[in-house]
Amino acid sequence: MTPRRLYGPVVLVTLAAGGLAFFAAARTWADAKLSSEGLPPSTVGVSGTDAEPLVSALALVVVTAALAVLAAGPRLRRVVGALTMLVSVLAVVVAPPSGSDALDRALRKAAEESPSFTGPESIGDISSTPWYAVTVLAFVVAFLLGAATIRWAGAWPTMGRRYEAPAARAAGTEEVSDSDMWKAMDEGQDPTQ
C-alpha cells in the first residue's frame, strides 16, 4: 500500500482513536459499594474525567488534530503529527490507573456525597473497570498515527488552491487584464481561477 493510500485511513483512525479516548475517559473507571446499617446499600463510581479532567481535554485535542490534517499542508501536518504524539504521551502519563491517589480521592469524594455514606468504614469493595486500559490504548494508537503523519505528510494530497484565502491566491498570481478575462471566457475557461 502506498503512503498516498494511507492518508484517509490514518486520518479516520486518528479521529476514531481520539473519540474512543474521550468516550472511554467518560466511562466508570472504578466503583465502590457503600453499606451502612439502617441504610440501603448503594454503589458509587467515578470516571477518568472525574479523577483527571485533562484526559478528556487531551482526547479532544487528538480529534481536532485529525481534522487539522485534512486542511493543512505538508509542513503543518508534520507539526500536527508531533503535537498528536506529545498529547498522547501526556495523556498516558496523567491518566490515573486503578489504585492511584487521584482515582482514590475522586472515589472518596463521590462516596462522601452519597446518602449511604456514614463514614470511611461504610466504603466496601472497590473494583476497577477496563476503561482505563481502553483509554491508554486509544492514546497509544494516536501516538503511532501521529508518527505516521510525520512520516508521510509530504506524500499525502493537499487541498487545491481554490481553498486558499483570496489574499494568498492573489499574491501568487499575476495581474490579468480585462481582455484576457474575456478571451478566457470565450475559450470556456473560468477566468477567476
Side-chain angles (χ1 to χ4, degrees), residues 17-18 20-21 24 88 92 130-144:
L20 178 62
S88 299
V92 169
W131 289 113
Y132 164 78
V134 171
T135 304
V136 169
L137 179 64
F139 280 116
V140 168
V141 169
F143 176 87
L144 296 173

Side-chain angles (χ1 to χ4, degrees), residues 49-134:
T49 304
D50 295 334
E52 182 53 70
L54 188 58
V55 175
S56 292
L58 294 173
L60 289 177
V61 171
V62 171
V63 169
T64 306
L67 297 174
V69 168
L70 292 173
R75 287 185 186 148
L76 190 55
R77 283 180 180 161
R78 287 186 176 95
V79 171
V80 169
L83 176 69
T84 303
M85 293 174 69
L86 178 68
V87 162
S88 299
V89 169
L90 180 61
V92 169
V93 169
V94 300
S98 59
S100 68
D101 289 340
L103 202 56
D104 288 346
R105 275 194 308 272
L107 197 55
R108 245 182 281 117
K109 182 179 178 198
E112 289 169 2
E113 293 171 359
S114 171
S116 299
F117 181 77
T118 57
E121 66 281 347
S122 64
I123 300 175
D125 295 333
I126 296 174
S127 60
S128 300
T129 65
W131 289 113
Y132 164 78
V134 171

Side-chain angles (χ1 to χ4, degrees), residues 1 9 29 41 53 69 72 86 95 114-115 131 149 173 176 179 191:
M1 186 175 263
W29 285 18
V69 168
L86 178 68
S114 171
W131 289 113
T149 300
T173 61
V176 178
S179 64

